[in-house]
């Protein structure tokens, strides 16, 4: 195996070790094992408490049951041996089946009676009612209600420790045995649940410049569904940008071919005929048309991309007045174009002032170019911009296709072409509405376009 193969194998092992499923499995094992261990410690503490409580209860019960019996036996032995001063060993029949360890002592801690297993000397604990511990014993002391005698019952601590250890081992050993199985189960669960993430990654990997379909994976969890939705929105925006780029190229090829050819032909003709004035003027007209169409194409591209469109309050009267002022600077247009505004407060709409100015300017240019006679810009409540001309208008069939690009309705009439396409795109991006009508409202002929905006 060469160095590259070793490096590749190491990278694969590192990727497996650094995978999300591996991290999730290790984290779950650590946390589940830690919580389980805490639960075991809590159970051990509780069991230890219960064991001690049960043993203490037994000591109390035994001491109260046997005190009178021990005193009675002590009195009997003292009557039989009145001169003895040594501690007496009680007969085994007091508790023939249980090894009960006890001592009966007086105020001077002298052992008067004891069981066979009890030490000869008194237990090294205070002579007071209640519990006390030594290294080996748990001792309960009770005092006789009428005599100066104490009964001390002892229980070995080893038994309690042994019971606690059995409980602890009974919990720890299954934990150690189950942890490998738990790790395997968690690993399989993590891989199974994260398989949908691999599917999502595969779907994203398949997308390219020619495949920008939205991500469609049924059954995604909520978090991954949000990721898929955002990726789909990003792909949609990217697709729109590519469409705008393709449309700009297609529109430029379509719209600029004729003016360029006309300008080249006129200039060539002018050179061949010693620069005739009419040829030069025709070439200038062709170049002017070329500039005009280039501007339209750039406006259309900007409108389709939706670049930098803002949403701000706009005074429609001020906007209409600014656009009309641009046209009034041309003496040929000054007498044809008029502006009509409401007498009340000016309508305030929500939109992009530059984009709306482009849209309104295109409507006015179309009306001046294709209409005849007077053209009216009207601002209407609540938030509407209207442009009317009083030319021949269009028939219903032509009206349906006016917003299509490069449409020609006759040899002498180019339709409302790119201009209306630009207006429609801007209106759509702003969430407004474009209404077209022919004839114009209040007239028998003409054409009317209305931009209906949302109030601010």
């Amino acid at each position: 195996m060469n160095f590259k193969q070793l490096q590749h194998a190491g990278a694969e092992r590192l990727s497996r070790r650094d995978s999300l499923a591996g991290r999730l499995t290790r984290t779950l094992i650590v946390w589940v094992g830690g919580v389980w261990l805490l639960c075991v410690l809590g159970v051990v503490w509780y069991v230890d408490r219960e064991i001690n409580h049960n043993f203490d209860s037994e000591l109390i019960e035994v001491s109260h049951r046997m005190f009178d019996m021990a005193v009675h036996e002590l009195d009997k032995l003292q009557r039989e041996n009145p001169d003895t001063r040594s501690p007496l060993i009680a007969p085994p029949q007091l508790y023939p089946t249980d090894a009960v360890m006890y001592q009966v002592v007086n105020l001077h801690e002298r052992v008067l009676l004891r069981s066979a297993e009890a030490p000869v000397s008194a237990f090294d604990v205070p002579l007071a009612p209640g519990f006390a511990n030594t290294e080996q014993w748990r001792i309960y002391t009770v005092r006789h209600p009428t005599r100066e005698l104490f009964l001390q019952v002892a229980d070995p601590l080893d038994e309690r420790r042994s019971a606690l250890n059995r409980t602890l081992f009974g919990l720890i050993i299954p934990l150690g045995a189950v942890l490998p199985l738990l790790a395997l189960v968690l690993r399989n669960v993590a891989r199974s649940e994260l398989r949908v993430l691999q599917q999502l990654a595969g779907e994203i990997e398949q997308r390219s410049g020619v495949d920008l379909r939205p991500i469609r994976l049924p059954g995604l969890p909520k978090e991954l569904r949000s990721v898929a939705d955002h990726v789909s929105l990003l792909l949609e925006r990217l697709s729109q940008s590519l469409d705008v780029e393709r449309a700009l190229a297609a529109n430029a090829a379509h719209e600029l071919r004729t003016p360029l050819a006309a300008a080249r032909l006129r200039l060539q003709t002018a050179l061949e005929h010693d620069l005739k004035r009419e040829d030069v003027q025709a070439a200038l007209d062709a170049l002017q048309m070329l500039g005009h169409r280039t501007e339209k194409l750039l406006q259309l591209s900007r409108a389709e991309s939706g670049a930098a469109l803002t949403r701000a309050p706009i005074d429609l009267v001020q906007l209409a007045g600014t656009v009309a002022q641009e046209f009034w600077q041309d003496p040929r247009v000054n007498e044809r174009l008029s502006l009509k505004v409401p007498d009340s407060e000016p309508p305030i709409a929500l939109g992009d002032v530059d984009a709306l100015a482009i849209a309104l300017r295109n409507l006015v240019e179309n009306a001046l170019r294709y209409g005849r006679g007077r053209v009216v810009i009207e601002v209407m409540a609540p938030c509407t911009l209207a442009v009317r001309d009083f030319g021949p208008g269009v028939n219903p069939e032509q009206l349906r296709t006016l917003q299509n690009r490069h449409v020609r309705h006759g040899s002498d009439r180019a339709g409302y072409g790119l201009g209306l396409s630009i207006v429609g795109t801007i209106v759509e991006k702003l969430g407004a509405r474009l209404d077209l009508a022919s004839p114009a409202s209040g007239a028998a002929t003409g054409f009317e376009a209305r931009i209906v905006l949302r109030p601010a």
Side-chain angles (χ1 to χ4, degrees), residues 46 81 111 163 199 213 231 269-271 327 374 381 427 434 441:
Y46 178 76
N81 302 283
V111 178
Q199 296 175 355
R213 293 175 293 109
V231 171
T269 303
L271 288 174
F327 287 96
R374 190 165 54 93
V427 168
L434 176 62
S441 59

Side-chain angles (χ1 to χ4, degrees), residues 120-169:
V120 176
S121 59
F123 292 113
D124 187 17
V125 295
L127 198 60
F131 287 98
N133 289 345
T134 64
E135 292 182 359
Q136 298 179 346
W137 309 101
R138 173 76 165 170
I139 301 168
Y140 180 70
T141 303
V142 60
R143 181 171 180 172
H144 196 278
T146 59
R147 301 173 62 176
E148 296 179 349
L149 295 176
F150 293 86
L151 174 67
Q152 292 182 320
V153 184
D155 187 35
L157 293 177
D158 289 341
E159 293 184 5
R160 303 185 180 210
R161 296 192 188 100
S162 177
L164 180 61
N165 290 337
R166 287 195 302 270
T167 303
L168 182 61
F169 288 139

Side-chain angles (χ1 to χ4, degrees), residues 179-243:
L179 271 181
L181 178 61
L182 179 64
L184 181 61
V185 171
L186 291 178
R187 179 189 177 193
N188 293 334
V189 170
R191 287 186 174 181
S192 175
E193 292 298 324
L194 293 178
R195 190 173 294 118
V196 66
L197 184 59
Q198 296 176 351
Q199 296 175 355
L200 178 60
E203 285 289 326
I204 296 175
E205 186 179 4
Q206 293 176 5
R207 299 302 185 267
S208 62
V210 295
D211 184 7
L212 295 175
R213 293 175 293 109
I215 303 296
R216 294 289 183 266
L217 278 178
L220 284 177
K222 180 180 179 181
E223 295 79 4
L224 293 184
R225 195 183 314 123
S226 175
V227 173
D229 292 342
H230 284 84
V231 171
S232 297
L233 289 176
L234 179 61
L235 292 173
E236 183 180 355
R237 289 194 291 268
L238 181 58
S239 177
Q240 291 176 355
S241 299
L242 292 176
D243 290 342

Side-chain angles (χ1 to χ4, degrees), residues 85-339:
R85 294 184 180 181
S86 62
L88 302 173
I89 300 177
Q93 63 266 23
L94 282 177
Y95 280 92
T97 57
D98 296 330
V100 179
M101 187 176 299
Y102 69 93
Q103 291 178 345
V104 178
V105 298
N106 58 18
L107 286 174
H108 303 291
E109 298 187 0
R110 180 170 177 264
V111 178
L112 303 178
L113 185 67
R114 65 183 178 87
S115 62
E117 297 82 4
V120 176
S121 59
F123 292 113
D124 187 17
V125 295
L127 198 60
F131 287 98
N133 289 345
T134 64
E135 292 182 359
Q136 298 179 346
W137 309 101
R138 173 76 165 170
I139 301 168
Y140 180 70
T141 303
V142 60
R143 181 171 180 172
H144 196 278
T146 59
R147 301 173 62 176
E148 296 179 349
L149 295 176
F150 293 86
L151 174 67
Q152 292 182 320
V153 184
D155 187 35
L157 293 177
D158 289 341
E159 293 184 5
R160 303 185 180 210
R161 296 192 188 100
S162 177
L164 180 61
N165 290 337
R166 287 195 302 270
T167 303
L168 182 61
F169 288 139
L171 293 172
I172 293 295
I173 292 175
L175 172 63
V178 170
L179 271 181
L181 178 61
L182 179 64
L184 181 61
V185 171
L186 291 178
R187 179 189 177 193
N188 293 334
V189 170
R191 287 186 174 181
S192 175
E193 292 298 324
L194 293 178
R195 190 173 294 118
V196 66
L197 184 59
Q198 296 176 351
Q199 296 175 355
L200 178 60
E203 285 289 326
I204 296 175
E205 186 179 4
Q206 293 176 5
R207 299 302 185 267
S208 62
V210 295
D211 184 7
L212 295 175
R213 293 175 293 109
I215 303 296
R216 294 289 183 266
L217 278 178
L220 284 177
K222 180 180 179 181
E223 295 79 4
L224 293 184
R225 195 183 314 123
S226 175
V227 173
D229 292 342
H230 284 84
V231 171
S232 297
L233 289 176
L234 179 61
L235 292 173
E236 183 180 355
R237 289 194 291 268
L238 181 58
S239 177
Q240 291 176 355
S241 299
L242 292 176
D243 290 342
V244 169
E245 181 180 345
R246 297 188 189 102
L248 178 61
N251 292 332
H254 184 278
E255 292 291 332
L256 303 183
R257 186 185 300 112
T258 302
L260 282 174
R264 185 171 62 251
L265 178 62
R266 291 295 184 178
L267 289 175
Q268 185 176 357
T269 303
L271 288 174
E272 292 175 353
H273 296 82
D274 297 330
L275 297 177
K276 290 185 177 180
R277 181 177 180 83
E278 58 271 16
D279 292 329
V280 174
Q281 184 62 44
L284 290 175
D285 293 340
L287 291 175
Q288 184 178 2
M289 181 184 297
L290 176 63
H292 182 266
R293 291 193 179 181
T294 301
E295 179 185 0
K296 296 296 183 185
L297 288 173
L298 293 177
Q299 291 176 359
L300 180 61
S301 176
R302 179 180 183 271
E304 287 180 334
S305 66
L309 290 183
T310 61
R311 300 293 187 276
I314 301 173
D315 186 336
L316 295 185
V317 172
Q318 182 178 0
L319 173 66
T322 302
V323 173
Q325 189 66 36
E326 295 177 8
F327 287 96
W328 285 335
Q329 294 177 3
D330 186 349
R332 295 172 299 177
V333 175
N334 194 5
E335 296 181 356
R336 293 183 58 193
L337 180 64
S338 60
L339 174 63

